[in-house]
Amino acid sequence: QVQLVESGGGLVQAGGSLRLSCAASGRTFSVSAMGWFRQAPGKEQEFVAAISYNGANTDHADSVKGRFTISRDNAKNTTYLQMNSLKPEDTAVYYCATPGRPWMFGLRRARNEYAYWGQGTQVTVSS
């Protein structure tokens, strides 16, 4: 069983930056990929980014590519989402997640590929 605790959300102005953190505990962290998702009010939850167990491979949604960067520090059991050039449409609750068991190859974008989820952290971008 894995527990994920997110932090770093808040209110920022358009064009600003924010770094989200996701601290993992309860099970081996370094053997699993990690992902970030977000859900805006009245919208479906959408994929944001994913990273492989060792950080060698990443995947970013087109809507955030070039602005957001996923990374991880396995020594700290922490995954990050650096968000730059924030836009009002980035306003959402952001969740980190990890699979129930490690993937053998590649990264995944589908919600149901992830078994463990954090509580979510609110990011609000004002215009």
Side-chain angles (χ1 to χ4, degrees), residues 5-111:
V5 179
E6 297 154 317
S7 61
L11 175 64
V12 298
Q13 293 183 337
S17 297
L18 203 63
R19 190 183 77 161
L20 305 184
S21 298
C22 176
S25 63
R27 208 184 69 184
T28 301
F29 168 74
S30 62
V31 302
S32 296
M34 298 291 297
W36 285 96
F37 292 76
R38 67 185 182 185
Q39 187 167 27
K43 303 293 184 181
E44 294 290 323
Q45 191 177 58
E46 65 174 347
F47 169 81
V48 175
I51 188 168
S52 60
Y53 77 98
N54 61 358
N57 299 301
T58 62
D59 182 26
H60 296 81
D62 289 344
S63 60
V64 306
K65 194 170 298 181
R67 300 188 299 120
F68 292 10
T69 303
I70 189 171
S71 63
R72 67 191 299 164
D73 186 341
N74 287 349
K76 297 181 178 179
N77 291 340
T78 301
T79 303
Y80 305 97
L81 185 68
Q82 178 66 48
M83 304 184 294
N84 299 325
S85 302
L86 282 162
K87 305 174 181 179
E89 50 262 48
D90 295 318
T91 295
V93 177
Y94 284 71
Y95 301 88
C96 65
T98 193
R101 56 180 68 188
W103 303 316
M104 297 297 291
F105 301 99
L107 298 172
R108 305 290 187 269
R109 291 187 169 193
R111 165 69 175 79

